[in-house]
Amino acid sequence: AQKVTQAQTEISVVEKEDVTLDCVYETRDTTYYLFWYKQPPSGELVFLIRRNSFDEQNEISGRYSWNFQKSTSSFNFTITASQVVDSAVYFCALSVEYGNKLVFGAGTILRVKS
Amino acid sequence: GAVVSQHPSRVICKSGTSVKIECRSLDFQATTMFWYRQFPKQSLMLMATSNEGSKATYEQGVEKDKFLINHASLTLSTLTVTSAHPEDSSFYICSAPEFGTGDEKLFFGSGTQLSVL
């Protein structure tokens, strides 16, 4: 069975601070996909990134960056110079077959204060 | 581009009534639809998987007679909450993969907030 753990229930930062959201996953499959989604108060899920298990390259997209380390089964997400608009719930998720169901972590509430 | 349209976005109903939630795939064929439920301040949990033209597969603990899923066409899947009770109040969201493009994507609907009085 697969499992995703987001140990940080809630994080509060002041605007312009950097913040890292942790994600640890468990699976016995050698091929899998990892995702990050943002859920603003309106409820919809905003796709941020998908990474497959064979691609351990870190990725940067603007203020967002992701660190994938298979050795520690982690896929952490860093927001640089956080902004109030980054306030949301962030979910890490895992799928063992692309296009298949996702197993979500519990989510991390990020509050960015001005 | 491809989108999953989910309606209604919010519904309030009396206990004992049935509520239908629709998810339509726009600009692609959704052979599979995943239905998730999210209780307040909790994570999303898969309820069931529907495939066009066949019976849905329900996750353990989800009552198939209470949550009726119909996937009669390649662009429409519906979830009906029958005889809704206050404990069914939750956020329901659907998701469909788009295959065959070389860069398969997973699309989510915008969700339905169900409140049962």
Side-chain angles (χ1 to χ4, degrees), chain A residues 37 39 43-45 50 91 98-102 104-106, chain B residues 34 36 38 43-44 46 59 91 97 99 103-106 108:
Chain A
Y37 286 89
Q39 187 179 44
E44 79 272 20
L45 286 178
R50 177 192 90 206
F91 290 99
Y98 194 69
N100 211 328
K101 60 186 180 182
L102 297 181
F104 285 87
Chain B
F34 301 104
Y36 295 85
Q38 184 182 26
S43 188
L44 292 90
L46 183 69
E59 297 298 301
F91 186 71
F99 295 109
D103 181 23
E104 286 80 8
K105 288 181 165 59
L106 192 60
F108 280 87

Side-chain angles (χ1 to χ4, degrees), chain A residues 20-107:
Chain A
T20 295
L21 309 182
D22 297 333
C23 174
V24 174
Y25 62 92
E26 294 177 33
T27 179
R28 292 184 179 180
D29 294 82
T30 55
T31 300
Y32 51 89
Y33 301 85
L34 296 165
F35 301 77
W36 275 96
Y37 286 89
K38 174 182 180 180
Q39 187 179 44
S42 53
E44 79 272 20
L45 286 178
V46 179
F47 169 81
L48 297 178
I49 190 170
R50 177 192 90 206
R51 175 66 73 216
N52 73 53
S53 53
F54 299 108
D55 183 0
E56 285 194 74
Q57 270 195 328
N58 292 329
E59 181 157 337
I60 298 175
S61 176
R63 296 185 297 108
Y64 296 168
S65 61
W66 291 268
N67 182 270
F68 177 27
Q69 292 198 351
K70 287 178 76 170
S71 60
T72 55
S73 298
S74 65
F75 186 43
N76 298 337
F77 172 36
T78 297
I79 301 175
T80 303
S82 60
Q83 299 176 3
V84 173
V85 292
D86 296 328
S87 298
V89 182
Y90 290 85
F91 290 99
C92 181
L94 167 73
S95 174
V96 296
E97 182 181 340
Y98 194 69
N100 211 328
K101 60 186 180 182
L102 297 181
V103 174
F104 285 87

